[in-house]
Amino acid sequence: MDAKLSRVARMLTPSPIQELSQLAQRIGAINLAHGFPDFPAPADFKAAAVSAINSDFNQYRDVQGIGELLEAKMKRDHGLQINPLTDVVISCGQTEAFAASIFAVIDHGDEVLLFDPAYETYGPCISLAGGIPVYVPLDPPYWTFDVEKLTKSFTSRTKAMVLNSPHNPTGKVFTKGELEAIAEACRSRDCICITDEVYEYITFDIHKHVSISSLHGMQERTIITSSLSKTFSVTGWRIGWACAPSNIASAIRNIHIHITDSAPAPFQEAALTALRSSPEYFKSLRTSYEARRDNAVETLSGLGFQIQFKPQGSFFLFAELPESWLHSDVDFVRELIKNGGVAAVPGCGFFHNSSNNENKYYNRFVRFAFCKSDETLAAAAQRIRELEVIGDKGLLKKL
C-alpha cells in the first residue's frame, strides 16, 4: 500500500527521536526531551478558559480584542505600527501560523534559507509547499554565522528566509549586528523574512529579544509568527498568530480558514487575559527560567558535558557530549534513558546541512528541556549525578 502514498508522505519518515521517545515512555523516564512545562499554567488563565467554556463560547469564533492587544504589544515591544483588522491572523498555534505563512508565499521551486541547526518542522513544511530548504550553518560553540556564507547562499530562486530567535535548539539570541546583516541581505535581494518568536519573553542575563521587523525597511517584508504556548505555559491550547503586511496577512488568513477554520474559541477568550499580563509576570518568567538554566548547566557539567555556551534565551540547553564519549548522540540518549531514566533529544535531528556532517559535530550534541517543575528537575539531576560515563564502551553506568 505504500505505492498509494504521496511523495511527501514517503519523504516524512520516522526519526530516531521518535523511537527514543517510545523507549522513554515504556521505561517511564523523566521527560527532559519535549519542550512543554509539566507545572500548572497560571490560575487566572485557566479560570478565564473555564469561564469561556461555561459561557458557551464553544463554536467557531474569531474573538474580538486579541488583535488590538497584539497591536499594543507590537508597539510597546518593537515600536511597530500594525492594523489589528488587516495585519493579524489568529491561528492554531505558531506551527499553523508558520505553515500558513509558508503556503502563502512559497511556490514550487522557491528556495528558503534557514539557519542550521533548525527546529525540525521548518524544513518539512517548506517541502510540503514545494519549496527547497537551503541551510546556512551556525558554527559551534557560540553558534555564530559567517556573513559571507549567508550572502552566497542567496540565489535568483531565493524567496524567503526563516529566522528563529531566541533559537531552538541552541538557545542563541541573535545580536543586533547579526540581525542587521540578515536584514541587509533580505532587503538587497527583495526577500521575505518569516520569523518564529515564540521564546521572545524568555531571555537571560543582558540579552533581549529584538524582532527583525523593527529594523529599517523590514516591516514591509517580515511575517512575525508567535503564540501563547511558551510564554504562558499553555502549549496545548494552540493559540498563535501571524502579523504581516495586509496583502500577505489576507493570504495567510484564507489558507488558515481552508485548513482549520478557526482557533479554539474558549482559549481565544482566555488569551485576552494572558495578553494583559503585567510586566511583573514576564520578569518572574525570566527569573524562574534563568535559575532552571543555571541548575541544568551545573548538573550536566558534573557529568562531563562540555558547555561553552550558556543559553541566552528559550528553555533548552544544547550541550556538547563529554569528550570521553566516543559514540553518537543517539547512543548516549539511549543509554541515558535505559540506565539513567532521563529522556533528552539527540542533536542530530536538528542538523540538516551536509557540511555539518563533514565537520563531525552534528552527532555531538544533546538537547535538554529545562521547562519543568523544580521537583522534576531535581529528580532528573539526582539520577544524572548517579551516572558514570564509560565513553570508550558507549555506556552510562550507575555509580
Side-chain angles (χ1 to χ4, degrees), residues 48 66 69 228 237 239 266-276:
I66 296 179
L69 290 172
L228 296 183
W237 284 13
I239 300 296
F267 300 130
Q268 287 190 66
E269 289 287 340
L272 298 174
T273 298
L275 290 170
R276 293 189 182 107

Side-chain angles (χ1 to χ4, degrees), residues 89-100 198 225-229 234-242 256 260 262-264:
V89 183
I90 306 303
S91 61
C92 294
Q94 183 277 335
T95 301
E96 195 214 356
F98 181 84
V198 294
T225 68
S226 193
S227 75
L228 296 183
S229 297
V234 288
T235 62
W237 284 13
R238 313 315 299 141
I239 300 296
W241 53 83
H256 157 69
T260 62
S262 72

Side-chain angles (χ1 to χ4, degrees), residues 271-292:
L272 298 174
T273 298
L275 290 170
R276 293 189 182 107
S277 294
S278 68
E280 287 71 26
Y281 173 84
F282 300 103
K283 181 179 179 181
S284 175
L285 181 78
R286 286 191 295 271
T287 301
S288 63
Y289 274 135
E290 190 169 316
R292 290 179 170 96

Side-chain angles (χ1 to χ4, degrees), residues 36 154 270 274 348:
F36 58 80
F154 284 85
C348 61

Side-chain angles (χ1 to χ4, degrees), residues 173-334:
V173 175
F174 284 74
T175 67
K176 186 74 174 294
E178 289 172 326
L179 295 176
E180 291 284 6
I182 296 165
E184 173 56 29
C186 290
R187 287 191 301 260
S188 63
R189 292 160 181 82
D190 194 25
C191 287
I192 293 168
C193 187
I194 305 171
T195 72
D196 175 353
E197 303 183 20
V198 294
Y199 304 102
E200 58 189 314
Y201 293 112
I202 306 175
T203 58
F204 311 126
D205 306 317
I206 63 172
H207 302 283
K208 302 294 181 187
H209 170 64
V210 175
S211 176
I212 197 169
S213 183
S214 66
L215 302 187
H216 173 71
M218 287 303 294
Q219 184 175 0
E220 59 263 37
R221 64 178 67 256
T222 300
I223 303 170
I224 297 173
T225 68
S226 193
S227 75
L228 296 183
S229 297
K230 314 299 185 180
T231 302
F232 301 107
S233 303
V234 288
T235 62
W237 284 13
R238 313 315 299 141
I239 300 296
W241 53 83
C243 295
S246 58
N247 61 322
I248 297 177
S250 177
I252 295 170
R253 186 177 299 105
N254 287 336
I255 291 167
H256 157 69
I257 289 170
H258 282 88
I259 295 175
T260 62
D261 195 278
S262 72
F267 300 130
Q268 287 190 66
E269 289 287 340
L272 298 174
T273 298
L275 290 170
R276 293 189 182 107
S277 294
S278 68
E280 287 71 26
Y281 173 84
F282 300 103
K283 181 179 179 181
S284 175
L285 181 78
R286 286 191 295 271
T287 301
S288 63
Y289 274 135
E290 190 169 316
R292 290 179 170 96
R293 176 204 63 175
D294 292 344
N295 288 336
V297 168
E298 181 180 359
T299 297
L300 294 174
S301 296
L303 189 61
F305 273 89
Q306 306 171 78
I307 303 175
Q308 300 180 63
F309 178 83
K310 287 176 68 173
Q312 301 165 341
S314 83
F315 44 51
F316 298 113
L317 176 57
F318 204 48
E320 186 175 1
L321 287 166
E323 192 172 2
S324 62
W325 185 264
L326 305 182
H327 297 259
S328 74
D329 54 342
V330 174
D331 294 329
F332 184 94
V333 170
R334 185 177 290 112

